[in-house]
Amino acid sequence: MVVETIALAKPDATLTMDTLRAQMEAAKRFVDSGLLPSAIKTPQQALTIMQMGRELGIPPTYALRNIHVINGKPVAAAELLMALVRRTYGQAAIRVKEASNDACTVEYREQGWDGVSSLTFTLEDAKRAKLDNKDVWRSYPRAMLRSRAVSEVVRTAFPECIAN
C-alpha cells in the first residue's frame, strides 16, 4: 500500500516578528484606504488574507483582490485557482470548455495521465445546493457556474496547487 502525502509549504524562515509587524502596518494602510472588498473590515482580516497569499506565492494586493470572504471563510476566487494550476502545470492543464447560463464545463489534464477529463456544473446542481436563490446567482449565473466548476476541478484534481 502506497501512502501519499500532501506537499505542504515548508516553514517560512523569512516570517519573523519584524516581518509580521511590517505586514500588519501594510494591512492597516490597506484597510484605511477604503479600497478593499467590503468583507475585509479589519487589519487582522487583511493580514490573514495577505498571509494566505504569501503561502501561495502571490503578492499581497493580488491576494486581497482574489481571496474572498464567503460565509466567514477566506476562499480563493476561481481566477486565482486557475492561475495557480497554470503556474504549476502550464496553460494546457485546465480550461473552460463551455460556459452558459445553464452549465459550465471545465476540461483538465492531470500530470501523468493520458487524455482529458471534464467536469460540468449545472444550474440544476446549483439548485440542489440551494445556491440559485442568492442575488449574485440570479444576476450572474454563467460566472457563478464557471466559478463552481473551476473550484471543484482544482480542489479535486490539483489540491497541491492550493495546499502550499
Side-chain angles (χ1 to χ4, degrees):
M1 179 174 171
V2 176
V3 177
E4 293 184 44
T5 60
I6 297 175
L8 297 176
K10 295 178 181 140
D12 183 354
T14 66
L15 186 60
T16 64
M17 284 307 294
D18 287 338
T19 307
L20 203 52
R21 277 194 272 291
Q23 286 180 333
M24 180 55 96
E25 242 347 276
K28 287 177 187 173
R29 287 190 175 100
F30 287 136
V31 170
D32 288 347
S33 76
L35 298 174
L36 296 182
S38 61
I40 304 171
K41 295 174 178 35
T42 68
Q44 293 82 0
Q45 291 170 329
L47 179 64
T48 300
I49 291 172
M50 291 164 58
Q51 186 59 33
M52 289 177 68
R54 182 183 174 115
E55 291 171 4
L56 295 170
I58 60 172
T61 54
Y62 191 83
L64 290 165
R65 286 191 324 268
N66 291 287
I67 297 175
H68 306 297
V69 179
I70 300 174
N71 295 327
K73 178 182 172 188
V75 178
E79 292 81 5
L80 172 56
L81 295 174
M82 282 187 77
L84 293 170
V85 170
R86 288 178 173 171
R87 178 177 70 185
T88 304
Y89 297 110
Q91 291 292 320
I94 186 170
R95 77 179 183 117
V96 175
K97 179 183 179 192
E98 187 176 326
S100 71
N101 288 337
D102 297 313
C104 178
T105 299
V106 173
E107 291 184 333
Y108 59 101
R109 298 169 195 248
E110 293 184 71
Q111 190 174 32
W113 289 34
D114 291 332
V116 176
S117 299
S118 68
L119 179 134
T120 300
F121 196 89
T122 67
L123 196 53
E124 287 303 314
D125 293 325
K127 287 178 182 176
R128 268 192 300 283
K130 295 182 177 35
L131 298 171
D132 64 316
N133 61 354
K134 297 179 180 182
D135 287 340
V136 70
W137 274 86
R138 285 194 293 271
S139 298
Y140 305 102
R142 183 182 62 185
M144 297 308 296
L145 290 166
R146 181 180 53 78
S147 292
R148 292 303 284 223
V150 167
S151 297
E152 187 172 340
V153 165
V154 173
R155 287 182 171 83
T156 302
F158 305 103
E160 68 280 6
C161 293
I162 56 175
N164 290 340

